Amino acid sequence: MNSFSSLLQENRVFSPHEDFSSKANISSFPQYDELRNKANSNILNHWNEQAMNLHWFTPWDTILNWNFPTAQWFTEGTINASYNCLDIHLQTANRNKEAIVWEREDGITASYTYAELHERVSAFAYSLQSLGITKGETITIYMGMNPEAIIAMLACARIGVVHNVVFGGFSSDALKDRINDSQSVCVITQSTTKRRGNDVALFDAVSNVLPFCPTIRHIICKQKPDLSTHDITIPIIDWDEFIHHEHQLEAIPLPSEHPLFYLYTSGSTGKPKGLVHTTGGYLTHVRYSFSLVFDPKPDDMYFCTADIGWITGHSYVVYGPLMHGMTILIYEGALNHPHPGKIWELIQHHKASILYTAPTAIRAFMSAGNDIPHSFDLSSLRLLGTVGEPINPEAWMWYHTIIGNSTCPIVDTWWQTETGGIMISPVPGAIPTKPGTATIPLPGILADVVRKDGKSASANEGGYLVVKHPWPGMARTIFGDDERYTSVYWSEFPPNSEHNGMYFTGDGARKDDDGYFWIMGRVDDVVNVSGHRLGTAEIESALVSHPSIAEAAVVAKPDDIKGNALIAFVTVMKDRSIDLDALKNVLINHVAKEIGSIAKPDDIRFTESLPKTRSGKIMRRLLREIVTGGVISGDTTTLEDFSALEKLRSDED
Ligand code: WT7
């Protein structure tokens, strides 16, 4: 592994590079400061101005209706997301500009101009409508990273159908839960997608769960599968036969608060929750943040490596860049396949100018050595971004030096599925950066670090990361569970005599002497693995659903590449005589089947019992200490014995 530690001085500051700043929309700190002061002194006016940059069919009458903790933005206004991504470009120079450039692992490529994308989306929307799918109903999209997935999203948006994209890496069981919870009436999928040389059978997963998904009326499938081996009672509609190019549907004006999508994400308890994002406010926040953070230029080739199954894919692969008329580059497959430098080859070949990716990916490419990126021409890059987890300063320096040639600014962007869009990030032409911090909140976003009593923490004092004023991209609720929404996000800091209530992010953070935010990770039982968010409770319930397992506790262990690894402690059913080594693999595969490969524990440790407090709570802190400090050996062939730790029980009560 390269060591950039020598280059790292404590709190080293990188001023925006002159080459970048001289062409940036916001090119100096004073210019930024003026914008921030104006925005933060009148937040509603700020968002009002930002909303005016979108196309509305009818104007709004109220900027914000705030009834803690329920927000409605731009009420009475009518708008359409698909119109703002496509139709607005048709009379401009963007009409014949490429909107999507797509490559697949096996070398297949395609591209669509804005006019072509508009045509396909309008035709697909027409066909959806002719199936009788109507405004407010939900469609689950379960596809790989290809133009069809984006066409499906935008076609839903065009007619007010709520899209619910499920990451193609999730298992059929996870898919089933998301279809049923969202009450989807249709699934749009494809026969197979490519991943590291394998064909991932998406249609088969859909077909397996169909008998358990009573709300589904239709399935639309790209590359019609061989149905002889399936026993399916509803018709499978072939994507290509479904689109009739002679039928084009106009975008429907929708109320600003009409739901645009649900997106499921893990929490600290129970099943994943479907966050509800609506139209007008979400688009306003995403358009604004994209413009500030990515400083878009007409000739950019924009490459965000996120999958559309995650919020980054929604906001900064699809909606943000398309509203700005960008050309987006998407890749269906693994970025180090068919060769370890594939990501750099894509940048060289397509002359990508902006790269937005996750620290995990950066660390993995860093560990593969500098020769690989050095053998490609990366001089087209002008801006680099990261998202999803804290970036360690070594990886930041490598990204800056080896990929960015020491000239590209790095935007470390902090946000969440719940926030809809970027909240804390440098504005690249104006804000000096420091490796490892997302710097300061965007103008109009009132983020802070507070103590348990809600008062602001002092400089360098660790505390809870909160947001003190509603913002337009915020999730409105958890689908079907308003109470859970209130209790998860708004009950930690409810309104009192000192403040009007604050949104709690679930993250711990500190602000340094310059007011820069350093994210210290989750303070709840959510673990960030490779930039993906997983609930330990979910993985534990997958483990105990196996007949051999009595109890399970999952904790995170720091990992050089993935940020965190998952270690599961389990107790086996008493009546079983079991080969523990074999069981370990069975359990790992069982979790992959229940949730998906991303949730696979990195290690399973068998124990006689789990250490518990007198009131019966599992002592997770102790387990975390064990996995980080190696207090107990990880010999998997014998059961671990925590009896020596019994005396610690009283400390935890
Ligand atoms: C959690 C949200 C935002 C899209 C991808 C993840 C962590 C996110 C950063 C960052 C440190 C970060 C937080 C947050 N996180 N970005 N730049 N620095 N931590 O979305 O799955 O909703 O996860 O990811 O812990 O709460 P998500």
Side-chain angles (χ1 to χ4, degrees):
M1 171 107 40
N2 304 283
S3 175
F4 281 85
S5 311
S6 57
L7 290 173
L8 282 173
Q9 295 148 16
E10 179 74 359
N11 262 353
R12 179 161 174 192
V13 177
F14 291 79
S15 295
H17 200 275
E18 176 55 29
D19 287 356
F20 188 93
S21 292
S22 60
K23 297 180 204 118
N25 298 335
I26 296 179
S27 57
S28 69
F29 186 77
Q31 192 189 351
Y32 171 89
D33 204 32
E34 197 186 317
L35 171 70
R36 180 174 57 173
N37 288 338
K38 187 171 165 236
N40 292 358
S41 64
N42 190 340
I43 292 193
L44 293 186
N45 184 54
H46 167 74
W47 291 118
N48 196 49
E49 281 180 8
Q50 300 312 320
M52 286 190 221
N53 290 325
L54 297 166
H55 169 274
W56 296 79
F57 295 103
T58 44
W60 55 96
D61 61 5
T62 310
I63 303 168
L64 169 67
N65 274 318
W66 178 234
N67 181 10
F68 177 91
T70 307
Q72 293 183 316
W73 286 86
F74 311 119
T75 44
E76 299 301 320
T78 61
I79 187 165
N80 186 288
S82 161
Y83 192 99
N84 274 283
C85 290
L86 301 171
D87 301 62
I88 59 158
H89 302 301
L90 295 181
Q91 312 304 327
T92 73
N94 290 338
R95 181 184 174 86
N96 296 318
K97 178 179 175 178
E98 278 167 341
I100 304 178
V101 174
W102 169 71
E103 250 196 58
R104 198 170 66 183
E105 249 185 24
D106 55 358
I108 308 277
T109 61
S111 64
Y112 295 83
T113 64
Y114 273 91
E116 289 165 342
L117 189 62
H118 172 265
E119 194 242 14
R120 278 163 181 74
V121 168
S122 305
F124 199 80
Y126 178 92
S127 301
L128 285 178
Q129 200 179 52
S130 63
L131 281 182
I133 299 176
T134 55
K135 190 167 83 176
E137 290 189 308
T138 303
I139 290 184
T140 290
I141 300 173
Y142 187 58
M143 302 184 86
M145 204 45 206
N146 47 47
E148 285 78 11
I150 297 174
I151 290 169
M153 288 168 78
L154 294 173
C156 288
R158 202 161 182 83
I159 55 174
V161 165
V162 185
H163 60 68
N164 172 42
V165 182
V166 177
F167 173 54
F170 278 125
S171 70
S172 55
D173 282 348
L175 171 68
K176 178 188 72 191
D177 292 344
R178 287 159 172 77
I179 291 173
N180 286 338
D181 193 80
S182 65
Q183 296 161 22
S184 294
V185 298
C186 172
V187 181
I188 303 177
T189 187
Q190 65 188 100
S191 179
T192 58
T193 181
K194 296 272 177 202
R195 183 89 192 161
R196 211 160 265 121
N198 298 319
D199 285 326
V200 182
L202 296 179
F203 176 78
D204 286 356
V206 176
S207 149
N208 288 341
V209 300
L210 257 191
F212 313 102
C213 297
T215 53
I216 295 295
R217 305 195 298 255
H218 305 282
I219 292 183
I220 301 161
C221 186
K222 177 80 189 159
Q223 313 140 342
K224 195 163 184 171
D226 171 13
L227 293 173
S228 57
T229 54
H230 294 270
D231 179 22
I232 295 181
T233 48
I234 60 173
I236 309 299
I237 301 162
D238 183 75
W239 177 289
D240 294 310
E241 290 167 18
F242 187 61
I243 292 202
H244 296 286
H245 297 278
E246 66 279 13
H247 295 301
Q248 299 281 307
L249 195 76
E250 292 296 329
I252 297 174
L254 297 163
S256 175
E257 283 297 334
H258 188 77
L260 176 59
F261 62 89
Y262 306 145
L263 187 61
Y264 282 79
T265 189
S266 298
S268 49
T269 55
K271 292 241 175 251
K273 43 202 181 189
L275 289 158
V276 178
H277 282 284
T278 61
T279 311
Y282 171 79
L283 294 178
T284 299
H285 182 180
V286 169
R287 189 188 189 288
Y288 163 74
S289 53
F290 188 85
S291 152
L292 277 191
V293 175
F294 296 105
D295 192 52
K297 300 280 184 270
D299 53 357
D300 270 322
M301 172 63 78
Y302 171 84
F303 186 19
C304 168
T305 66
D307 190 280
I308 44 147
W310 311 110
I311 189 71
T312 309
H314 285 60
S315 303
Y316 300 109
V317 173
V318 180
Y319 291 109
L322 295 184
M323 279 191 281
H324 282 278
M326 303 288 273
T327 302
I328 63 172
L329 172 61
I330 59 173
Y331 185 63
E332 185 169 359
L335 289 163
N336 57 1
H337 191 90
H339 60 81
K342 184 64 201 180
I343 184 174
W344 316 125
E345 186 187 76
L346 284 164
I347 291 167
Q348 170 181 282
H349 182 73
H350 296 284
K351 299 197 168 33
S353 54
I354 303 178
L355 173 64
Y356 189 34
T357 194
T360 291
I362 297 166
R363 289 191 293 264
F365 287 114
M366 178 173 162
S367 70
N370 297 348
D371 289 352
I372 301 172
H374 276 153
S375 62
F376 295 94
D377 176 7
L378 304 179
S379 60
S380 56
L381 287 171
R382 65 178 191 91
L383 178 62
L384 304 174
T386 74
V387 60
E389 50 184 323
I391 181 163
N392 50 311
E394 288 77 10
W396 196 101
M397 284 307 301
W398 184 82
Y399 200 32
H400 175 72
T401 331
I402 304 298
I403 306 308
N405 193 28
S406 303
T407 55
C408 302
I410 296 182
V411 287
D412 174 349
T413 60
W414 179 90
W415 58 296
Q416 310 178 294
T417 308
E418 292 84 347
T419 68
I422 295 169
M423 304 289 277
I424 306 179
S425 167
V427 167
I431 301 295
T433 51
K434 302 178 199 177
T437 160
T439 74
I440 52 180
L442 292 182
I445 301 291
L446 293 196
D448 197 6
V449 177
V450 298
R451 301 179 184 148
K452 236 189 161 39
D453 64 5
K455 295 207 171 71
S456 291
S458 318
N460 294 312
E461 178 187 350
Y464 302 94
L465 181 59
V466 298
V467 188
K468 293 181 160 173
H469 190 284
W471 66 101
M474 64 197 283
R476 301 299 192 257
T477 188
I478 292 171
F479 182 64
D481 202 344
D482 294 342
E483 259 171 50
R484 189 173 173 198
Y485 173 74
T486 306
S487 86
V488 174
Y489 305 110
W490 300 95
S491 62
E492 206 69 40
F493 302 102
N496 60 26
S497 55
E498 310 257 330
H499 60 79
N500 298 324
M502 305 182 213
Y503 167 81
F504 177 45
T505 62
D507 280 353
R510 74 176 166 90
K511 287 199 286 181
D512 68 15
D513 293 323
D514 297 320
Y516 280 29
F517 286 64
W518 295 76
I519 311 299
M520 289 152 58
R522 303 288 308 194
V523 296
D524 51 13
D525 289 322
V526 168
V527 180
N528 195 318
V529 178
S530 300
H532 296 141
R533 181 164 149 183
L534 297 164
T536 51
E538 239 178 289
I539 305 169
E540 287 160 5
S541 72
L543 285 164
V544 297
S545 75
H546 190 276
S548 298
I549 297 307
E551 278 190 303
V554 173
V555 293
K557 175 184 178 179
D559 181 274
D560 279 351
I561 303 283
K562 303 198 295 184
N564 288 295
L566 294 167
I567 312 296
F569 290 85
V570 298
T571 62
V572 284
M573 289 291 190
K574 286 281 177 291
D575 56 339
R576 308 230 161 190
S577 68
I578 285 166
D579 171 352
L580 295 182
D581 258 349
L583 180 59
K584 189 167 164 173
N585 289 327
V586 168
L587 289 175
I588 290 173
N589 291 328
H590 180 70
V591 174
K593 180 187 156 291
E594 292 283 312
I595 304 175
S597 289
I598 51 169
K600 275 183 181 178
D602 296 83
D603 195 10
I604 305 240
R605 294 169 65 161
F606 297 98
T607 86
E608 287 284 0
S609 64
L610 291 171
K612 291 189 188 144
T613 63
R614 268 193 292 254
S615 55
K617 267 179 72 183
I618 294 173
M619 295 158 76
R620 292 166 186 286
R621 186 183 60 77
L622 189 66
L623 295 175
R624 271 193 290 271
E625 275 167 22
I626 290 167
V627 297
T628 43
V631 174
I632 289 179
S633 91
D635 180 355
T636 53
T637 55
T638 55
L639 296 183
E640 291 184 54
D641 178 6
F642 291 116
S643 54
L645 302 165
E646 297 283 294
K647 62 175 171 40
L648 289 171
R649 287 182 185 200
S650 52
D651 302 347
E652 293 276 317
D653 263 340

